[in-house]
Amino acid sequence: VNTINNRNFVRGIAFNTDGSKMFVGTVVTDRIEQFTLSVPFDLSSTLTRGTPLLRVPNSADRDDVNNPYSLQFNTDGTKMFFAKYGGDLFEFSLSTAFDISPSSAAVDDDAVKKTLSNGNTTGFVFNADGTKLFAADNGNNQIDEYSLSTGFDLSTINYVQRIDISAETEDARSLIFNPDGTTMFILEKEEVHE
């Protein structure tokens, strides 16, 4: 198994649809890295590091790439989403699908930013068509549900409800659903809850 060295506090991971590319967010180095895998979804295969999406402090272009906790893409890879600890959710358009290099990713001025209601977002997930978003709030032991009137378009997001998970966990970090959306899995610091 490969290890990604010299990247402190990896907080998010995502793959493209065929598993040939992997993306990780790191909070200490304020970057989102991209890797090409010689064998899809196989981390023991050869990993080739691509151009990362870096934070450039106090710039108009990349200052928002700060503490990227959770990563998601829309189904065709033309949009990348990441949650920044503290409740901000960002949508970057990609001119080339699943390519986060600066030449492909929109600049901050073109990115969509939404502040989620909880302020402690550490993970989020969309449903299959992007019309629902669920965010883990590890400060209030809840999952917040949002609706999007246009799939994968943060400019159309609206708060729906809070789901109390305090009986299951006190430290929700991330979440995911099974393929048909009937079971939610919640990752906390050291355990997974269903």
Side-chain angles (χ1 to χ4, degrees):
V1 172
N2 274 315
T3 302
I4 301 169
N5 295 320
N6 302 319
R7 297 292 176 257
N8 294 326
F9 295 104
V10 172
R11 292 290 188 250
I13 185 168
F15 288 87
N16 66 348
T17 49
D18 68 4
S20 63
K21 290 184 93 172
M22 177 180 71
F23 305 86
V24 295
T26 64
V27 297
V28 170
T29 55
D30 290 331
R31 65 177 62 207
I32 300 171
E33 297 265 12
Q34 61 183 341
F35 298 88
T36 302
L37 288 73
S38 61
V39 178
F41 295 111
D42 184 351
L43 297 186
S44 66
S45 68
T46 302
L47 299 180
T48 304
R49 178 175 272 123
T51 305
L53 186 61
L54 302 170
R55 179 179 186 216
V56 181
N58 303 314
S59 79
D61 290 345
R62 299 282 180 249
D63 196 37
D64 286 334
V65 183
N66 182 4
N67 289 323
Y69 256 70
S70 184
L71 305 171
Q72 298 281 318
F73 289 87
N74 66 344
T75 50
D76 67 4
T78 57
K79 290 184 179 183
M80 177 187 67
F81 304 85
F82 71 88
K84 182 167 100 172
Y85 185 73
D88 291 334
L89 187 62
F90 294 89
E91 172 188 317
F92 278 80
S93 294
L94 305 174
S95 60
T96 303
F98 296 107
D99 179 4
I100 63 164
S101 63
S103 62
S104 176
V107 297
D108 285 357
D109 289 345
D110 297 325
V112 177
K113 174 185 173 184
K114 290 293 179 180
T115 299
L116 301 180
S117 63
N118 59 47
N120 295 299
T121 300
T122 53
F124 69 97
V125 65
F126 288 99
N127 67 345
D129 65 3
T131 57
K132 287 188 176 186
L133 181 141
F134 299 86
D137 177 352
N138 77 338
N140 295 308
N141 300 320
Q142 67 190 41
I143 302 296
D144 291 314
E145 179 183 346
Y146 299 84
S147 66
L148 293 85
S149 55
T150 302
F152 298 107
D153 182 351
L154 288 186
S155 68
T156 68
I157 196 168
N158 289 296
Y159 181 77
V160 174
Q161 67 176 334
R162 165 194 120 128
I163 303 164
D164 185 345
I165 57 170
S166 59
E168 288 81 24
T169 179
E170 294 181 2
D171 192 17
R173 297 294 176 105
S174 191
L175 65 158
I176 193 167
F177 286 92
N178 68 340
D180 67 6
T182 58
T183 304
M184 179 183 354
F185 299 90
I186 302 168
L187 173 68
E188 67 172 27
K189 191 172 185 180
E190 296 177 2
E191 295 178 348
V192 176
H193 299 272
E194 180 179 347

